[in-house]
Amino acid sequence: MKTEITGKIIIVGDNIDTDQIYPGRFLALTDPKEIGSHCLCGVDENIAANFPQGGIVIGGRNFGCGSSREHAPIALLNMGASAVIADSFARIFFRNAINLGLPLIISKGISQKVKEGQTLTLNITEGTIKAEETGEVFACEQLGDQAMKILEAGGIKPLMREKFGKK
Amino acid sequence: MHALEKILAKNSGRKEVKNGEIVTAKIDFAEINDLYLQTVYSFYEMGGEKVWDSTRCAFVFDHYAPTPDIQSASNHKEMREFAEKNNLQFHFDTNCGVCHQVMPEAGVIYPGMIIVATDSHTTTHGAFGALGTGCGATDMATILMTGELWLRVPEIIEVRLEGEAPKGVYPKDVILAVLGKIRADGAVYKAIDFTGSYVENLNVAGRMVICNMAVEMGAKTAYMQPNQDVLDYVSERAVRPYEVEFTDPGYEYTESYVFDVTKLEPELACPSSVENVHTLASVVAEGEVKLNQGYIGSCTGGREEDIAIAAKILKGKHIPEYTRLIVVPASREVMLSCMEKGYIQDLMAAGATITTPGCGACLGAHEGILAPGEVCITSTNRNFPGRMGSTEALMYLASPATVAASMISGTITDPRKYL
Ligand code: SF4
């Protein structure tokens, strides 16, 4: 796993629920690329098409609340997001994202401190976020051992394959 | 220890657990709904061959019941093939209803168990003294392979509900009032134990409404100590022996909230957030709210009790022209009973559209989608932007009685007028 991630950011608000990340009308889709193309369309239809590849999504409190649909992190990953940083995350979304290898980082008040389109460098192991343009550094929480173990393996799937002796 | 901790300890082979600890717990029942074909894909990607126990997992086809398009039909087909290949003892096809209603009906939910489902509203089963929690597709695939899941032992919040509800105040109003106070992220990663005299006297359906919406505060799970109503319900149905767990006297909660239910009024969660809760009286005092659609259904508001009160209010009346009322019984059992009692006939006579038991339009998949600019009052659990269709539609969450009363004039109306 990459412990340092650099990417341009987009900023969304509080309580971005999984219906806004991935609306119910697209839930029957199974192709990951197609799923990614609808990402965050409940917030703004144009986000996915213009998303900077490898970018970071910045949210407010309770990002990912609502339904347990794994389509939400699948959409974020396939839109090209490399991490999400927010004040707080909803629980099921948190598990789903970590399971798929998408780092979710808590940094209180982050959406107020950064500006749309800025480039941030996130260091997951050190727990720091650096704004490339201004040199400002913000603190963030470190992930728990269980989440780190899964992320380091590249997600829960490689971990399970190992456990079941299949490569 | 708390009853929930005892359940976690029992299922992870420990004497004791403490909050913050990570345990690997045995799962008593696992349910996959029809949005989660990804579970099957993840299962094979991880090297799965057969499910760990064919008597302890099931599919419920509820979100697309029956299928509205070729894509969802193909998804069902693949899931059916998986179920058949694994010889699953329980299978709930499109003729059954919403997962959180059909599982208790089928007796796979009982006190003291851990139920995990690919659905956030699995907190519903706290109503039965079970530990119910939702997960995503890949977590579910790991359960299907191993029968286990890692879980963090949650901190537990007490929500004490005291007193009898006044006329016109239903479990839905009570949970909306709680939600307005605790907010949409007030219980993230935590469990909520609902206690107090209101809960002790509450019937099974009412308990399910309240535990169902615990997840709207972010809760990992909800709990209510089983009462006689619950024990009567499960004793007739449970497919396995069970043991009720009890919280030790003197257990210390991380936080406690107390609500005086006797002082509550009919409530609304206004557009477009579940925590935007106001009393109905204060909303209508600011001006008439015109409605295009009323909706009674879902794992929150589609039970017999809900349809009964709607039928009582709407019997002999008619909804206005150019409005529509959609009623979706939560399950086949609910629908059959409502037909037998004449509720469905009364509602249809009043102009309601009845659709197949299942999730219906609750998540905007089909059967009652909202157009831009439309306003809907609904007994469901979420009013997020776009939840029932267009992101430019507005949704008010309310009790089934409030929905029914509001459909008489086509504007939001206090149900107490008709009780
Ligand atoms: S009825 Fe609505 S909330 Fe309940 S499981 Fe179905 S879609 Fe989800």
Side-chain angles (χ1 to χ4, degrees), chain B residues 33 62-63 98-100 119 121 212 297-300 358-359 362-363 380-382 387:
Chain B
N33 71 40
D62 49 1
H63 291 69
V98 183
C99 57
H100 304 306
D119 194 279
H121 292 104
N212 175 282
S298 86
C299 55
T300 319
C359 297
C362 174
L363 87 161
T380 55
N381 46 38
R382 287 186 175 142
R387 173 73 179 178

Side-chain angles (χ1 to χ4, degrees), chain A residues 13-22 61-69 72 88-94, chain B residues 120-121 184-185 188 215-219 272-275 382 384-385 387:
Chain A
D14 285 338
N15 289 322
I16 297 295
D17 58 78
T18 55
D19 279 85
Q20 291 181 74
I21 301 171
Y22 195 74
R61 65 185 181 97
N62 209 18
F63 188 95
C65 59
S67 114
S68 57
R69 57 188 71 159
S88 61
F89 293 97
R91 168 188 164 265
I92 303 177
F93 175 78
F94 184 84
Chain B
S120 58
H121 292 104
D185 59 351
V188 176
V215 75
E216 306 310 333
M217 294 173 270
S272 289
S273 142
V274 287
E275 62 182 17
R382 287 186 175 142
F384 303 151
R387 173 73 179 178

